[in-house]
């Protein structure tokens, strides 16, 4: 309050946040028109032998003045403005195009995983969109995975769930992302059209200090086995985190310990030289 019991609806900080928002919104429009985005690729590896299971495609925006702007900042703006529809079309097409090139070069065992936002799912039927995109670039359905956040699943309509199930029947894999942050009950997992659970980094960060998080990780791991779902632990930065998830029987990990997200060129070089097949842990 301002000391007289009146709430201020405007603060200088709010003003600068709003300015930043509108600035980035305009810049996003321009960036879309001039194709100023790239994709980075981060490997997800099997705990057992550190072989690559898949790559997650992560969008990058290099702004001419601001430099790199984090997707954590611009994706929400793109979602609120529906610009994510156009950006998301580019992301899916580019990720599938790159994977198709890798596939044809002999990388037959890995997949590409693409983040899809709630706005994209709500806006139009996803099945035709995804199938048309992979057809266009000649990528087999089984080489594609989609990551959909737990909070998005919670609010998903029956139609969205059916569309996702149709994709699964066509061979596309579906992952539930940021699992553990959306408060869905563990029992609803059995009902969802999913193949993979990605446990949010939050649980990994807490697990070595807090036995409760350790127990949650353990029960997600057990549930994954019970329901025949592959479990991935996100945000593994330290060897002791790797050892912990290994002990808990979690199958796959993603994190800076294994590799940061990389350009497609670096990924190609590392895969060819066998450099991504082992890690320090
Ligand atoms: P996410 O889907 O949970 O992606 C994982 C994020 O964790 C990525 O951040 C990745 O770089 C980061 N990460 C991976 N390993 C580690 C680690 O060991 N430590 C730490 N501290 N971070 C790690 P990024 O690329 O900045 O993306 C942030 C979020 O922005 C993503 O979270 C996702 O929600 C969104 N996003 C990124 N790319 C896309 C995209 O192409 N489409 C959509 N719809 N959203 C995207
Ligand atoms: Ca993700
Ligand atoms: Ca995630
Ligand atoms: Ca996340």
């Amino acid at each position: 309050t301002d000391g007289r019991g009146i709430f201020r609806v405007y603060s200088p900080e709010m003003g600068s946040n709003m300015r930043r928002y509108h600035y980035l919104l305009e810049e996003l429009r321009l960036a879309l028109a001039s194709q100023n985005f790239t994709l980075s690729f981060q490997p997800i590896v099997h705990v057992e032998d550190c072989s690559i299971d898949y790559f997650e495609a992560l969008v990058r925006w290099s702004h001419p003045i601001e430099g790199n702007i984090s997707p954590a900042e611009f994706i929400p703006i793109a979602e609120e403005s529906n610009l994510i529809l156009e950006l998301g079309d580019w992301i899916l097409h580019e990720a599938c195009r790159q994977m198709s090139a890798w596939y044809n070069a002999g990388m037959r065992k890995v997949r590409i995983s693409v983040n899809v936002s709630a706005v994209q799912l709500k806006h139009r039927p996803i099945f035709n969109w995804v199938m048309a995109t992979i057809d266009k670039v000649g990528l087999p359905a089984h080489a594609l995975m989609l990551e959909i956040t737990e909070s998005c699943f919670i609010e998903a309509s029956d139609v969205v769930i059916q569309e996702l199930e149709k994709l699964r029947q066509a061979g596309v894999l579906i992952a539930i992302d940021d699992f553990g942050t959306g408060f869905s009950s563990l029992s609803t997992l059995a009902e969802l059209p999913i193949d993979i659970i990605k446990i949010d980094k939050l649980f990994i960060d807490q697990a070595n200090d807090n036995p409760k998080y350790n127990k949650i990780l353990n029960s997600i791991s057990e549930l994954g086995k019970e329901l025949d779902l592959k479990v991935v632990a996100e945000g593994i930065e330290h060897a002791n985190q790797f050892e912990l998830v290994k002990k808990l029987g979690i199958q796959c990990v993603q994190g800076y310990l294994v590799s940061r997200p990389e350009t497609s060129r670096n990924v190609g070089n590392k895969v060819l030289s066998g450099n991504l097949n082992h890690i320090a842990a």
Side-chain angles (χ1 to χ4, degrees):
T1 71
D2 66 357
R4 291 169 300 171
I6 297 167
F7 281 100
R8 287 167 58 162
V9 293
Y10 182 86
S11 70
E13 191 201 331
M14 267 170 66
S16 73
N17 286 345
M18 292 285 276
R19 270 200 301 280
R20 173 90 177 155
Y21 182 95
H22 287 290
Y23 169 66
L24 288 182
L25 182 56
E26 278 322 302
E27 293 300 307
L28 264 177
R29 283 191 220 283
L30 293 173
L32 272 169
S34 49
Q35 312 240 299
N36 265 331
F37 299 96
T38 56
L39 293 182
S40 266
F41 301 89
Q42 188 178 27
I44 285 75
V45 303
H46 296 110
V47 169
E48 196 188 0
D49 58 1
C50 294
S51 61
I52 300 168
D53 189 45
Y54 68 94
F55 287 99
E56 179 172 2
L58 295 158
V59 68
R60 295 290 177 260
W61 179 14
S62 169
H63 186 276
I65 298 162
E66 308 282 325
N68 291 331
I69 300 174
S70 165
E73 183 173 21
F74 73 79
I75 291 286
I77 301 174
E79 288 177 337
E80 275 176 59
S81 59
N82 277 351
L83 288 175
I84 192 70
L85 298 173
E86 197 183 325
L87 179 57
D89 284 351
W90 180 82
I91 291 168
L92 182 70
H93 183 270
E94 179 57 17
C96 292
R97 187 201 60 75
Q98 180 61 67
M99 188 62 233
S100 176
W102 283 336
Y103 191 88
N104 291 328
M107 274 169 61
R108 295 286 159 95
K109 284 190 182 152
V110 304
R111 318 185 148 85
I112 193 74
S113 184
V114 178
N115 292 284
V116 176
S117 98
V119 177
Q120 293 172 280
L121 289 176
K122 272 181 211 152
H123 194 257
R124 66 180 156 199
I126 187 176
F127 178 80
N128 286 340
W129 169 56
V130 170
M131 296 311 281
T133 306
I134 62 177
D135 277 356
K136 193 152 56 179
V137 300
L139 185 71
H142 65 79
L144 177 65
M145 178 170 137
L146 303 177
E147 298 194 7
I148 291 161
T149 63
E150 181 186 19
S151 49
C152 178
F153 268 111
I154 291 171
E155 57 184 49
S157 67
D158 291 349
V159 177
V160 166
I161 298 292
Q162 281 160 21
E163 288 284 310
L164 292 173
E165 187 52 49
K166 277 197 320 199
L167 281 174
R168 283 184 76 213
Q169 275 160 21
V172 176
L173 293 161
I174 310 287
I176 184 165
D177 200 1
D178 299 347
F179 185 75
T181 61
F183 306 105
S184 60
S185 69
L186 290 182
S187 57
T188 58
L189 268 186
E191 313 288 313
L192 294 177
I194 56 171
D195 307 279
I196 288 126
I197 304 174
K198 296 191 76 175
I199 307 174
D200 197 77
K201 181 177 185 299
L202 175 96
F203 293 89
I204 308 305
D205 288 340
Q206 300 288 333
N208 273 316
D209 308 327
N210 188 335
K212 281 186 186 162
Y213 283 86
N214 201 314
K215 281 185 186 146
I216 296 172
L217 276 181
N218 191 38
S219 55
I220 298 173
S221 173
E222 290 303 315
L223 193 77
K225 280 175 211 152
E226 206 68 48
L227 298 176
D228 217 8
L229 300 169
K230 188 183 278 179
V231 179
V232 179
E234 293 189 312
I236 301 288
E237 294 178 349
H238 308 290
N240 64 346
Q241 297 172 325
F242 183 91
E243 292 309 323
L244 175 70
V245 301
K246 187 173 185 174
K247 201 177 77 196
L248 294 174
I250 288 171
Q251 294 104 317
C252 293
V253 295
Q254 172 176 18
Y256 295 169
L257 179 70
V258 181
S259 170
R260 290 190 176 247
E262 304 243 31
T263 62
S264 57
R265 188 200 208 128
N266 282 348
V267 166
N269 290 340
K270 285 195 177 181
V271 168
L272 284 177
S273 65
N275 253 346
L276 270 175
N277 289 328
H278 53 270
I279 62 166

